[in-house]
Amino acid sequence: MLVADDQDIVRTGLVMILDAQPGITVVGEAADGQEAVALARTLRPDVCLLDIRMPEVDGIEATRQLAGPDVTHPLPVVVITTFDLDEYVYGALKAGARGFLLKDAGPELLTQAIHAAARGDALIAPNITARLLAAFAKSHRSPRLPQPVEPLTAREKEVLLAVARGSTNGEIADQLYISLSTVKAHIAALMRKLDARNRVEIAMWAYEAGRITT
């Protein structure tokens, strides 16, 4: 994976934490967004961990260049930031980030987020991401609420709300008494019907459409 942060001490700490985790190897470090994009395109890491506030190119633009809707072969991006009310978080998620963490999240949550992004999932922590998604979606909500390409089934609506609240596939399976493969099938259907690229965009759609407010 690639780690990008303009603060040397923070970047060094993140690299040390991640390199110590099973199944994670840091293959590149960058001190700004421009360097991060160049390295990521060369190294093609499984996951990019980007700070939001960086010189040259900030984390939002770097995310857009690596994971945006116009990118042919997008890379998984997780955004990390200092403030839990950072106004740029919503922009980063819209740019294609699969999730975000606070810098004081701790090794366990950081590791979970990296592994989730690597397997095509996303970490949406109920006490952080879901709250921010709700706040930013409310402030950015347009008068005309988005509608699905096709009507959602009753079960898909249940899965939609669970994803928006931050539940993992396993948790959704337990909550709804269905198999893990069925959960994955419902999420794939939601992505198609909502024109979403990942779980984060499914959650954002739920908030923007007014399907969930807490």
Side-chain angles (χ1 to χ4, degrees):
M1 70 167 299
L2 173 74
V3 176
D5 195 297
D6 62 320
Q7 296 182 335
D8 292 343
I9 190 169
V10 173
R11 188 175 66 255
T12 299
L14 289 171
V15 170
M16 290 178 63
I17 290 172
L18 291 168
D19 265 337
Q21 306 306 314
I24 297 179
T25 302
V26 178
V27 297
E29 300 178 40
D32 60 64
Q34 183 173 320
E35 183 183 9
V37 171
L39 270 178
R41 287 174 173 170
T42 299
L43 299 174
R44 302 297 299 178
D46 293 325
V47 181
C48 300
L49 182 66
L50 306 180
D51 183 25
I52 280 189
R53 291 172 173 161
M54 294 187 291
E56 303 298 334
V57 173
D58 64 23
I60 295 177
E61 180 56 30
T63 298
R64 185 176 296 110
Q65 292 182 29
L66 295 174
D70 298 326
V71 179
T72 304
H73 300 293
L75 290 170
V77 173
V78 173
V79 170
I80 190 166
T81 184
T82 302
F83 306 104
D84 64 350
L85 292 178
D86 196 317
E87 63 182 356
Y88 300 117
V89 171
Y90 187 84
L93 295 178
K94 291 289 282 187
R98 288 186 177 172
F100 80 92
L101 294 173
L102 300 182
K103 289 185 178 179
D104 62 358
E108 184 177 356
L109 193 58
L110 179 61
T111 301
Q112 289 177 13
I114 299 304
H115 283 303
R119 64 175 179 262
D121 208 336
L123 183 78
I124 305 178
N127 63 332
I128 301 176
T129 311
R131 175 171 55 81
L132 281 174
L133 280 171
F136 281 105
K138 182 178 180 180
S139 65
H140 289 76
R141 187 176 296 162
S142 62
R144 187 173 182 178
L145 300 181
Q147 298 299 320
V149 175
E150 300 174 26
L152 304 183
T153 66
R155 183 64 87 188
E156 286 169 354
K157 291 177 182 177
E158 292 177 327
V159 174
L160 171 70
L161 297 183
V163 169
R165 292 191 174 104
S167 299
T168 64
N169 285 359
E171 290 170 342
I172 296 173
D174 292 339
Q175 292 165 12
L176 301 181
Y177 301 100
I178 56 180
S179 69
L180 197 58
S181 61
T182 300
V183 174
K184 293 179 180 178
H186 285 313
I187 290 177
L190 285 171
M191 289 172 64
R192 177 176 57 81
K193 292 183 177 182
L194 306 181
D195 192 26
R197 292 170 296 173
N198 50 55
R199 294 169 70 94
V200 171
E201 291 192 357
I202 290 175
M204 292 175 72
W205 186 96
Y207 286 106
E208 292 176 338
R211 297 295 182 98
I212 184 169
T213 56
T214 58

